[in-house]
Amino acid sequence: MVRVTCRLAALLLTAASVLPLSAQAPEAAATFDKVWTIVRDTHFDPAFDRATWDRARDELRPKAVAAKTPGELRAVLRDLLGRLGLSHFAVIPASPDSPDDRADLSGQPGFDVRLIDRQLVVSAVDRDGAAAAAGVRAGWIVDQVNGVPMSRTLAAVQGAPERIAQLEAWRLSLTQLRGPSDSILEVTFIDGAGTPVTKSIHRAAETGEPVHVGNLPTMYVRVRSSLMDMPAGGRAGVIAFNVWMAAVDARFQSAVDQFRTADGIVIDLRGNPGGLAAMIMGLAGHFVPDRLTLGVMKTKDSELRFVANPRLVNAAGARVEPFRGPLAILVDGLSASASECFAGGLQSLGRARVFGQVSMGQALPALFDTLPNGDVLIHAWGDFVTGSGVRLEGRGVVPDEIVPATRADLLAGRDRPLEAALAWIGRM
């Protein structure tokens, strides 16, 4: 069993498709029983309705036993877990849903997407990637992928609430945009002038430092940092990373050391789905001089207090003080879990000002257990409230300054949330 806190389900559900095929036929009854029992025995809410959970077992277990493929069994399990109405309950497949499913999604196209005004829009392009080489620009609408209209893919999320639609659109699009490394992807975009533009993009292997946690799929850590000019003069450090894993720590510390004399620091957590919860205490310690409470994890039997751990030495071992200048944090609708706990915790202390869009609102800690059929169950084991008592599950982190992403800004090459954060630092 691996204990982490993360809203990595959508990311891992995609990454899991590259795992080896299970050598053992699905054990449907045993798998269903284990999922049902784990939830019953570990659910954190004292008001958990055991009678309703018993009825769900009686209704759905025969369907699980009758499942003829791994995909049919997983559909039953999704139904079961969906009745909880909470994040961090999901099954990560260890094999394709059916023998005809494409199993290799290891190659990526070099651009990211967001749902903006219910259209899938290129939100960022890796300047060193294949999409940039092909001339793809931020702000372009993804119209067709390998001849399949994106409107057909997005039809499944059109009636969903905005935050759910954002996550599902991103996840569904990834299963189409990704594929085997070195394969060719044909995408028709709508450019800024409204003209269809078709590009052939050579998918490349994932970049970053590979990390392994228990029996989860490989994740790739990427940390970026830069010193940026502010509109009114002065300079601020900007640090961005894609997932909360231990490999981030040394690079983050190095960036903070580099920016100690800067006028302020911006931490960009947009699109960061979470990871190892305990890391928020160490990273917060770069900016908080005292052992202040970021939040409390409430489990079935106890409470775990997350306290900032002041970082008093730098990477070279020399004595330093935590950075005391202005601190801004960027979040969006795909910032989740540990990212939310970090941003919400520092916001509750008044130590950071948050910019961007309301975060995902999926901030429960999770455990990972291997099931009899080889799949992995993600299941929440606690709840999280910030130091000021704000529950983030279902609410998200509400930015101090809401700055929505717009297609017009992307087409113009503007990053308005970052601009707003830099402008605020410049006024401090």
Side-chain angles (χ1 to χ4, degrees):
M1 178 165 27
V2 178
R3 178 166 297 194
V4 301
T5 302
C6 57
R7 180 55 177 107
L8 291 173
L11 183 62
L12 293 173
L13 286 171
T14 301
S17 61
V18 304
L19 291 176
L21 297 181
S22 175
Q24 187 175 8
E27 300 177 40
T31 296
F32 180 92
D33 290 345
K34 186 166 184 178
V35 169
W36 184 88
T37 301
I38 287 173
V39 173
R40 181 198 64 187
D41 293 346
T42 65
H43 199 285
F44 58 89
D45 189 351
F48 177 55
D49 190 341
R50 293 279 293 269
T52 297
W53 196 239
D54 288 344
R55 289 193 294 271
R57 175 196 57 196
D58 296 342
E59 175 191 347
L60 296 177
R61 190 177 189 277
K63 297 180 181 180
V65 173
K68 295 181 175 60
T69 66
E72 290 181 7
L73 173 60
R74 290 165 191 150
V76 176
L77 296 176
R78 282 194 297 271
D79 187 353
L80 176 68
L81 296 172
R83 299 185 184 197
L84 296 168
L86 296 167
S87 69
H88 291 74
F89 286 93
V91 172
I92 302 174
S95 64
D97 282 351
S98 68
D100 294 332
D101 286 350
R102 183 177 65 194
D104 187 355
L105 299 180
S106 59
Q108 48 84 24
F111 66 89
D112 202 359
V113 293
R114 290 292 187 275
L115 192 68
I116 298 177
D117 295 330
R118 297 290 166 154
Q119 293 179 308
L120 198 70
V121 177
V122 177
S123 58
V125 180
D126 180 357
R127 63 184 180 184
D128 299 319
V136 177
R137 299 286 302 275
W140 286 10
I141 296 170
V142 180
D143 187 52
Q144 296 185 30
V145 178
N146 289 331
V148 178
M150 186 53 60
S151 59
R152 185 186 305 172
T153 302
L154 296 181
V157 305
Q158 288 302 326
E162 181 63 28
R163 280 189 289 175
I164 295 175
Q166 179 74 256
L167 173 63
E168 285 303 299
W170 177 83
R171 184 182 66 82
L172 290 170
S173 68
L174 250 63
T175 63
Q176 293 182 272
L177 295 171
R178 297 183 70 110
S181 295
D182 298 324
S183 64
I184 300 298
L185 173 70
E186 295 283 343
V187 184
T188 299
F189 300 92
I190 305 298
D191 68 12
T195 304
V197 179
T198 300
K199 298 289 186 179
S200 295
I201 300 171
H202 194 98
R203 294 185 180 104
E206 191 74 70
T207 60
E209 180 179 346
V211 296
H212 305 275
V213 178
N215 49 12
L216 299 180
T218 301
M219 288 170 276
Y220 294 84
V221 170
R222 295 182 292 275
V223 182
R224 305 188 316 274
S225 61
S226 61
L227 197 60
M228 299 191 66
D229 294 327
M230 294 185 295
R235 308 186 84 186
V238 180
I239 309 172
F241 58 99
N242 66 319
V243 67
W244 289 77
M245 290 290 151
V248 167
D249 187 73
R251 299 177 193 179
F252 191 94
Q253 180 170 2
S254 177
V256 172
D257 288 341
Q258 178 187 353
F259 301 145
R260 288 192 183 280
T261 59
D263 296 289
I265 290 179
V266 180
I267 302 175
D268 189 349
L269 297 177
R270 290 174 292 183
N272 187 321
L276 301 177
M279 286 185 62
I280 74 171
M281 296 185 283
L283 266 60
H286 287 294
F287 310 102
V288 179
D290 303 302
R291 292 182 58 81
L292 302 178
T293 298
L294 298 164
V296 179
M297 206 73 77
K298 298 182 177 182
T299 71
K300 183 178 181 179
D301 303 314
S302 63
E303 291 187 353
L304 176 63
R305 192 166 296 274
F306 282 63
V307 178
N309 181 21
R311 305 290 283 265
L312 302 179
V313 294
N314 63 16
R319 177 81 180 187
V320 294
E321 291 293 323
F323 180 81
R324 295 179 181 270
L327 176 66
I329 300 176
L330 307 182
V331 297
D332 68 4
L334 293 182
S335 305
S337 197
S339 292
E340 296 182 283
C341 297
F342 181 80
L346 288 174
Q347 183 188 49
S348 73
L349 292 176
R351 180 60 187 94
R353 189 166 181 83
V354 180
F355 297 80
Q357 297 168 278
V358 178
S359 66
M360 197 180 295
Q362 299 193 1
L364 302 181
L367 300 175
F368 293 74
D369 282 274
T370 302
L371 300 172
N373 71 337
D375 290 353
V376 175
L377 171 67
I378 304 174
H379 58 101
W381 61 282
D383 202 357
F384 183 89
V385 297
T386 68
S388 59
V390 176
R391 185 175 188 250
L392 298 179
E393 178 73 9
R395 173 188 183 271
V397 176
V398 178
D400 299 288
E401 293 189 29
I402 294 180
V403 189
T406 69
R407 186 177 178 229
D409 284 343
L410 291 170
L411 287 169
R414 296 191 65 179
D415 186 342
R416 201 177 292 271
L418 177 57
E419 290 176 8
L422 294 173
W424 170 74
I425 290 173
R427 296 192 297 269
M428 298 301 289

